[in-house]
Amino acid sequence: MSAPGFPQLPPGFRFGAATAAYQIEGAHDEDGRGPSIWDTFSHTPGRTLGGATGDTACDHYHRHREDVALLRGLGVDGYRFSISWPRLLPQGTGAVNRKGLDFYDRLIDDLLAAGIAPAVTLYHWDLPQALETPSNGGSAAAGGWRVRRTAEAFAEYANVAADRYGDRVERWITLNEPFCSAFVGHAEGRHAPGAREGRGALVAAHHLLVAHGLAVRELRAAGAREVGITLNLDRLHAASDRPEDLAALRRAEVLHNEVWTEPLFAGRYPEHEAETWQGLADGPWRRPGDLELIGAPLDFLGVNFYRPVTVTAAPHRQEDPALRTAVDIGVAETDPYGTRQTTMGWPVVPSAFTELLTGLHARYPRLPPVWITENGSAEADSLTPDGRVHDPERIDYLAGHLAAVADAVTAGVDVRGYYVWSLLDNFEWARGYDQRFGLVHVDYHTLTRTPKDSYHWYRGLITAHRARTEETAR
Ligand code: IFM
């Protein structure tokens, strides 16, 4: 199978690669790092595939120089990584861990020396455990994102990070995919903290948005260059035109997208939230002034996209209405696409990416410029006897999705750049080490890194793009 040609993005469009702290760093108890909810969760039997943890992961904490060299070899303009909150503030607030601060200093300086612009995510799911279970005898259900204090602690952490790194970081992302933190973590329980609390997930969603708003204020006050948030938005379809499927689609739009996009870009809560949550969305956790705080203007929206979702109406599964509303909105997912699926079981439909981006552009006049902060595919990669990893499916996925971004740009959407997920194979949360998303293969026994064919393809794409940009500038 010959490699697909390079999609053409406009001159000046930027290319990067992305990772997240808990998925690659390892060194979970070194140099003063405190535990996070993901340490606790992954060490709890039965929570992750095969009991996998991030204790070692890709050992990036000790090998970051090698990883920066891989980024330089790839030719990327930018690198998106996350800071581990408990590495900087082991208790979540208060004392700052100097060794943790120094680690990201070295990483940022090495990136800049390699000509790579750092983009920092402040929260990629690794909440300090001390905030989840307060030491004052409070129970787990009394802490974490269920309480507003955690949003205030996040602002303190944002301030520490901006103060130290603000002079060198190009782009700040407050939260990564708050959908997963709130709903996968507090409703489905598949992610840390592993809670199934129904209404608790809605409270968590609101406090995450408040945390974002407070952090934006801190970042602005510290003179941060570009500030935004990353959402995993879904392109949703209804399985049919039946009224019940269309109603299911409306509820799914609230759950997946509007719970974030409406407060952020339209200054309101979703129109259909009452029918979606059956009255449980509104409560004393929402305070006057929150919408103004959450909706403060941003420099960009980060979009993570992997696959489309088709929904159909389904009977509610749970009897307890307080549990039911946040966990179960009476919707089931189907896969009518008939396309190839990645090893995550996700259908490959690039045109859905264009539709998502053009839909956002049409709906929100206040939408800031967009950066694609994640996109990529997990494939069944293996090292072959020639010492290489041949991953034509990933190349095909990337080519298709970058062409879909180019189509959105042609249709008028202001997309500035693209970070591929991911630089390295890494810890895929509850799926452990089974799913390989990297452009670089990692042998988890020896920690040897081997660039895959997709790494070479992406480098070729960047080189060709840069040549075209320079030609246009002449
Ligand atoms: O690995 C994750 C990442 O942490 C968040 N976005 C989706 C990726 C693939 O599942």
Side-chain angles (χ1 to χ4, degrees):
M1 177 174 173
S2 68
F6 297 136
Q8 307 242 329
L9 277 304
F13 189 89
R14 309 258 305 273
F15 288 96
T19 61
Y22 191 72
Q23 295 182 271
I24 65 164
E25 282 182 4
H28 69 115
D29 57 359
E30 266 182 65
D31 290 344
R33 177 187 179 277
S36 79
I37 55 173
W38 266 96
D39 293 289
T40 308
F41 185 78
S42 65
H43 279 266
T44 306
R47 293 301 207 172
T48 63
L49 187 74
T53 73
D55 288 5
T56 305
C58 306
D59 198 29
H60 170 77
Y61 188 74
H62 299 114
R63 295 165 196 253
H64 84 268
R65 292 232 151 79
E66 184 181 352
D67 295 336
V68 171
L70 283 164
L71 285 162
R72 188 206 278 266
L74 191 54
V76 286
D77 305 293
Y79 174 52
R80 172 185 176 226
F81 62 95
S82 78
I83 292 179
S84 159
W85 183 351
R87 215 183 269 294
L88 249 51
L89 293 129
Q91 295 299 310
T93 61
V96 176
N97 177 28
R98 192 182 49 76
K99 287 189 172 172
L101 275 178
D102 292 348
F103 169 68
Y104 296 107
D105 252 339
R106 290 195 296 276
L107 175 61
I108 289 170
D109 287 345
D110 289 350
L111 287 167
L112 291 172
I116 298 165
V120 166
T121 310
L122 284 170
Y123 188 67
H124 202 121
W125 308 350
D126 44 0
L127 183 74
Q129 182 64 41
L131 296 177
E132 177 72 15
T133 10
S135 55
N136 59 9
S139 68
W145 292 112
R146 305 164 192 86
V147 295
R148 202 171 177 104
R149 295 201 283 287
T150 298
E152 287 152 10
F154 184 66
E156 181 186 330
Y157 156 55
N159 175 285
V160 170
D163 190 50
R164 180 73 171 238
Y165 312 122
D167 56 335
R168 288 159 291 158
V169 168
E170 180 181 58
R171 188 160 300 107
W172 292 89
I173 295 160
T174 55
L175 306 176
N176 177 71
E177 303 185 1
F179 170 87
C180 294
S181 303
F183 297 108
V184 187
H186 293 78
E188 290 179 48
R190 275 190 299 116
H191 280 185
R196 304 200 62 182
E197 295 169 358
R199 181 200 287 258
L202 296 172
V203 182
H206 186 69
H207 288 147
L208 281 153
L209 283 168
V210 171
H212 158 80
L214 292 173
V216 169
R217 271 194 196 158
E218 295 294 332
L219 290 161
R220 297 271 184 233
R225 280 157 71 184
E226 283 188 36
V227 179
I229 187 171
T230 281
L231 304 174
N232 53 325
L233 298 171
D234 278 316
R235 168 63 181 157
L236 295 157
H237 303 103
S240 79
D241 287 341
R242 289 185 314 151
E244 51 275 36
D245 283 345
L246 295 177
L249 175 63
R250 273 203 306 277
R251 297 194 297 277
E253 285 285 2
V254 172
L255 170 68
H256 289 259
N257 300 327
E258 293 172 13
V259 70
W260 318 108
T261 55
E262 290 290 293
L264 284 165
F265 305 120
R268 60 184 177 229
Y269 298 111
E271 185 186 348
H272 299 291
E273 66 171 10
E275 72 184 71
T276 304
W277 312 125
Q278 301 176 18
L280 288 185
D282 209 5
W285 56 86
R286 284 185 177 171
R287 296 194 188 163
D290 280 357
L291 280 175
E292 290 72 27
L293 175 73
I294 295 165
L298 296 177
D299 301 313
F300 66 92
L301 166 66
V303 173
N304 292 356
F305 178 85
Y306 290 90
R307 48 123 195 201
V309 174
T310 289
V311 297
T312 182
H316 286 285
R317 293 182 300 270
Q318 296 182 24
E319 294 311 316
D320 176 349
L323 271 179
R324 189 178 76 193
T325 44
V327 181
D328 178 359
I329 57 168
V331 162
E333 291 183 14
T334 63
D335 179 358
Y337 302 101
T339 62
R340 186 182 81 79
Q341 297 184 345
T342 69
T343 54
M344 292 290 281
W346 294 345
V348 179
V349 188
S351 58
F353 201 2
T354 315
E355 290 164 10
L356 173 75
L357 294 169
T358 53
L360 279 169
H361 174 70
R363 181 172 180 132
Y364 295 111
R366 275 180 44 204
L367 192 76
V370 170
W371 283 75
I372 308 307
T373 39
E374 282 181 30
N375 175 244
S377 72
E379 306 293 349
D381 303 322
S382 58
L383 271 169
T384 47
D386 59 1
R388 299 182 56 175
V389 178
H390 303 295
D391 56 345
E393 299 85 2
R394 179 172 294 103
I395 295 174
D396 195 56
Y397 181 100
L398 296 177
H401 284 76
L402 277 162
V405 174
D407 288 347
V409 173
T410 305
V413 190
D414 184 1
V415 188
R416 303 274 170 97
Y418 174 99
Y419 297 91
V420 67
W421 185 266
S422 177
L423 174 67
L424 304 171
D425 289 341
N426 59 50
F427 175 76
E428 177 56 21
W429 309 109
R431 310 280 295 250
Y433 292 98
D434 214 34
Q435 300 295 319
R436 293 183 175 273
F437 275 93
L439 298 190
V440 176
H441 179 274
V442 176
D443 177 322
Y444 293 115
H445 298 291
T446 62
L447 296 166
T448 304
R449 277 92 161 122
T450 307
K452 303 177 190 177
D453 286 357
S454 56
Y455 174 98
H456 301 291
W457 180 85
Y458 196 55
R459 180 175 59 193
L461 164 84
I462 296 170
T463 308
H465 174 75
R466 211 165 270 151
R468 258 201 337 276
T469 297
E470 278 161 18
E471 209 167 282
T472 321
R474 256 187 245 126

